[in-house]
Amino acid sequence: MKNKNKKISPDIICHRNVISKIFNTIGTKPAETGGILLGPLNKNEISDFYFDNDGQCSKATYTPDYAKLTHLLKTEWADEGIEMKGVVHSHPNRFDRLSGGDLTYIERLLKCNPRDDFFIAPIVIPEEFRLIPWMVLRGQYNNPVIADLTII
Ligand SMILES: [Zn+2]
């Protein structure tokens, strides 16, 4: 039976220190900078944030430092039972949605990781000290939703 009120976005738990780390790094720099959201394997939980100091920033896009991040994901973080939960990056000029380029990038990531049902991709607007917790669900690549974040 179909339930019209079925929630479309899964509940995500986010540790408070993650939010502080984001605002203390991305939030203090001009757009576009970014970093990686990390959490325990197979849980809808964000427990840490890694600021991607070496990501490429231009006025149009943030491109993660793939080589370094892939290495960390396969070594240090894998040993700790930590996996990537998403990417957070900043946008200029109050542009608080994911761009077409962002959505293409996320679609590619989800298609490469068939295990994941969604990808968390918050946008930070440094000049407004604001974070919008976007997430993209598998198969709905052009319709990002706002994640249901519980801060603990
Ligand atoms: Zn973007």
Side-chain angles (χ1 to χ4, degrees):
M1 195 163 50
K2 275 188 185 168
N3 179 355
K4 274 186 188 165
N5 298 318
K6 189 170 172 283
K7 239 160 62 66
I8 48 166
S9 64
D11 292 326
I12 309 290
I13 289 172
C14 181
H15 294 217
R16 198 172 296 277
N17 71 308
V18 171
I19 308 286
S20 340
K21 279 188 182 179
I22 290 171
F23 279 115
N24 285 327
T25 52
I26 295 176
T28 65
K29 297 177 189 298
E32 301 215 352
T33 63
I36 305 298
L37 299 171
L38 298 163
L41 284 171
N42 305 318
K43 284 193 176 177
N44 291 353
E45 184 174 335
I46 303 166
S47 56
D48 208 353
F49 167 73
Y50 178 82
F51 180 56
D52 179 19
N53 230 336
D54 301 316
Q56 284 186 4
C57 317
S58 75
K59 281 197 174 128
T61 53
Y62 154 71
T63 311
D65 179 356
Y66 288 109
K68 188 182 65 185
L69 295 172
T70 304
H71 176 73
L72 282 167
L73 282 165
K74 286 186 176 162
T75 56
E76 205 177 304
W77 295 337
D79 292 345
E80 295 169 13
I82 296 291
E83 63 181 358
M84 178 166 81
K85 301 297 179 182
V87 167
V88 50
H89 72 287
S90 56
H91 273 177
N93 306 324
R94 300 176 180 180
F95 180 55
D96 62 5
R97 296 178 172 274
L98 292 164
S99 69
D102 293 335
L103 292 174
T104 306
Y105 166 74
I106 293 165
E107 177 174 351
R108 208 184 308 143
L109 276 177
L110 275 170
K111 286 179 174 169
C112 289
N113 298 291
R115 214 167 51 85
D116 300 331
D117 294 330
F118 56 82
F119 191 82
I120 308 171
I123 295 293
V124 173
I125 310 291
E127 60 195 54
E128 297 179 350
F129 215 66
R130 191 154 68 93
L131 180 145
I132 305 93
W134 290 111
M135 74 190 303
V136 176
L137 307 175
R138 175 174 298 284
Q140 298 180 39
Y141 305 113
N142 292 317
N143 291 303
V145 295
I146 301 281
D148 217 330
L149 275 194
T150 303
I151 311 287
I152 60 165

